[in-house]
């Protein structure tokens, strides 16, 4: 296939000298040369593929899925009584737990298919899909995810991340949740590429650290990527309330992640909203520690969920409209701190994010306003945050931009800026 009259992302000019004809074979750009087919029509733009570095496969569209196919209502649970009333995080956790008890294989497959089809339609070719596994869900979300991964394999590169939203060391069911995940990792190892946990849901800091250590050891044991939902609050740090991000770095070093883990496996830290409360010196210390450690740590900002959940009013009567932004300042982390970061959609149409779509490009566009990032270079970086930077975060082969999709030579002056 030949694409005629094309410009590449990052080109600063759309003059005749910047237009290319591109040969594509087996999904790869094999050759690019100055265009011989320039017309008065606007050129086409060739963009790197998009990526979801963090999206939940078992929870999308819970709030909008109450119209089951005709004659099949018994296979599709009704969630209409779980619509948000307060919109709080605790309510979202509670209602999602109730929803999990109603899952069916038909329901999970239908909603998951809708998410994957919408993602592909919007240019996504790779993603990390979180599926919750615990004493309530059993293996159902995992087996459904494996089926979806197979059925969509001709369109999407899907990493399945077994995920513990609920405690693993606290409460009535912590031990059972941990046992279920350990069992499935043993029995379904070939279907799983990443392990994720939520340390902040444990009942104490000590047990949060147990959660982190268990996840690190388990990921090393099974050769998995590691992914934490972390520091989901806006509390001011104190000696007794330091962000768990610092502890993750320490424990990764203690357990010799660089020496024992597969060198291609990354560690992703999602949300981490508490980091927005750190002062400049603490942020610089954090960045320096990560860089010196050489650990493959990547932050994923999840602004659609974060801004909905974080920054609720705690102001005095004199300033009732005061709000904190409540999401990682991803461009600042990349440009000023020099650490790896990207952005992700996270949830669509459930109590954690009762709005939005599976379109990463829309998210990048929102980032212009969310981060006050309005320059041309900012736009390129925001695109990278849902493309090559996101792919790099989840360790997907082909982590850069055009360096990976173009095999043949690119004429001088035509590489992305």
């Amino acid at each position: 296939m030949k694409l005629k009259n094309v410009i590449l992302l990052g080109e600063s000019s759309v003059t005749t000298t910047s237009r290319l004809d591109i040969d594509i074979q087996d999904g790869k750009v094999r050759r690019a040369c100055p265009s011989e087919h320039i017309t008065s029509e606007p050129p086409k733009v060739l963009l790197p593929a998009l990526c979801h570095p963090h999206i939940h496969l078992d929870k999308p569209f819970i709030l909008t899925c109450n119209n089951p196919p005709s004659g099949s209502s018994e296979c599709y649970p009704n969630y209409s009584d779980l619509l948000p009333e307060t919109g709080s995080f605790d309510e979202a956790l509670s209602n999602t737990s109730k929803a999990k008890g109603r899952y069916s294989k038909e329901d999970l497959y239908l909603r998951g298919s809708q998410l994957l089809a919408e993602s592909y339609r919007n240019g996504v070719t790779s993603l990390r899909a979180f599926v919750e596994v615990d004493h309530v869900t059993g293996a159902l979300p995992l087996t459904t995810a494996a089926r979806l991964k197979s059925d969509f394999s001709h369109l999407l590169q899907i990493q399945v991340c077994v995920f513990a939203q609920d405690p693993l060391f606290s409460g009535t069911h912590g031990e059972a949740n941990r046992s279920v995940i350990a069992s499935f990792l043993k029995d379904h190892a070939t279907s799983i590429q990443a392990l994720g946990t939520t340390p902040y849901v444990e009942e104490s800091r000590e047990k949060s650290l147990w959660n982190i250590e268990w996840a690190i050891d388990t990921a090393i044991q099974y050769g998995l990527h590691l992914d934490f939902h972390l520091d989901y609050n806006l509390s001011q740090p104190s000696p007794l309330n330091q962000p768990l991000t610092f502890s993750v770095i320490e424990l990764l070093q203690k357990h010799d992640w660089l020496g024992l883990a597969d060198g291609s496996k990354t560690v992703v830290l999602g949300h981490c909203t508490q980091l927005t409360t750190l002062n400049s010196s603490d942020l610089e210390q954090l960045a320096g520690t990560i860089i010196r450690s050489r650990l493959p740590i990547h932050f994923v900002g999840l602004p659609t969920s974060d801004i909905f959940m974080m920054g609720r009013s705690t102001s005095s009567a004199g300033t009732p409209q005061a709000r904190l932004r409540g999401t990682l300042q991803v461009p600042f982390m990349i440009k000023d701190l020099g650490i790896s970061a990207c952005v992700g959609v996270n949830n669509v149409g459930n109590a954690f994010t009762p709005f939005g779509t599976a379109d990463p490009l829309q998210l990048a566009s929102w980032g212009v306003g969310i981060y006050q990032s309005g320059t041309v270079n900012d736009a390129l970086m925001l695109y990278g945050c849902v493309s090559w930077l996101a792919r790099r975060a989840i360790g997907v082969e082909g982590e850069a931009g055009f360096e990976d999709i173009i095999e043949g030579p690119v004429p001088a002056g035509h590489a992305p800026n």
Side-chain angles (χ1 to χ4, degrees), residues 297-312:
I297 291 175
H298 301 259
F299 291 90
V300 178
L302 304 163
T304 48
S305 295
D306 294 346
I307 292 177
F308 176 68
M309 285 297 176
M310 297 286 107
R312 294 170 183 268

Side-chain angles (χ1 to χ4, degrees), residues 49-72:
L50 302 178
C51 172
H52 287 313
H54 181 129
I55 198 162
H56 290 266
L57 186 61
D58 50 348
K59 297 188 293 192
F61 310 116
I62 285 178
L63 302 183
T64 56
C65 65
N66 294 306
N67 295 305
S70 176
S72 303

Side-chain angles (χ1 to χ4, degrees), residues 233-250:
N233 66 80
L234 293 175
S235 301
Q236 288 293 326
S238 69
L240 299 178
N241 184 34
Q242 286 287 3
L244 287 167
T245 297
F246 290 95
S247 298
V248 168
I249 298 167
E250 293 174 4

Side-chain angles (χ1 to χ4, degrees), residues 74-101:
E74 70 279 1
C75 298
Y76 296 89
N78 190 304
Y79 301 112
S80 59
D81 59 315
L82 302 180
L83 294 174
E85 295 183 3
T86 66
S88 69
F89 183 68
D90 288 342
E91 180 189 61
L93 283 174
S94 175
N95 284 1
T96 302
S97 292
K98 294 174 184 176
K100 288 191 296 186

Side-chain angles (χ1 to χ4, degrees), residues 109 116 144-156 158:
Y109 188 85
L116 295 176
T144 304
R147 179 185 167 197
L148 287 165
K149 178 177 179 178
S150 175
D151 290 352
F152 282 81
S153 61
H154 62 299
L155 301 175
L156 296 162
I158 300 173

Side-chain angles (χ1 to χ4, degrees), residues 109-233:
Y109 188 85
L110 178 64
R111 291 188 289 103
S113 296
Q114 182 180 348
L115 180 73
L116 295 176
E118 183 175 320
S119 297
Y120 178 74
R121 181 173 62 85
N122 285 294
V124 173
T125 62
S126 57
L127 67 148
R128 174 168 293 173
F130 289 81
V131 288
E132 290 187 35
V133 171
D134 54 37
H135 74 285
V136 175
T137 65
L140 184 58
L142 178 58
T143 56
T144 304
R147 179 185 167 197
L148 287 165
K149 178 177 179 178
S150 175
D151 290 352
F152 282 81
S153 61
H154 62 299
L155 301 175
L156 296 162
Q157 184 175 357
I158 300 173
Q159 285 185 358
V160 175
C161 180
V162 167
F163 173 57
Q165 173 71 69
D166 293 338
L168 299 177
F169 291 90
S170 307
T172 305
H173 303 292
E175 184 175 353
N177 292 337
R178 193 167 73 251
S179 177
V180 167
I181 291 178
S183 174
F184 291 158
L185 286 172
K186 180 179 179 181
D187 296 339
H188 301 275
T190 58
S191 301
I192 301 165
Q193 290 73 49
L195 172 64
T197 72
T198 315
Y200 63 80
V201 299
E202 303 287 356
E203 64 186 13
S204 68
R205 187 176 184 89
E206 179 184 29
K207 292 183 178 179
S208 294
L209 297 177
W210 294 355
N211 182 307
I212 294 168
E213 290 207 70
W214 177 86
I216 292 172
D217 282 340
T218 304
I220 290 174
Q221 178 183 352
Y222 289 98
L224 302 173
H225 296 285
L226 188 57
D227 203 305
F228 291 115
H229 287 49
L230 211 62
D231 295 326
Y232 206 26
N233 66 80

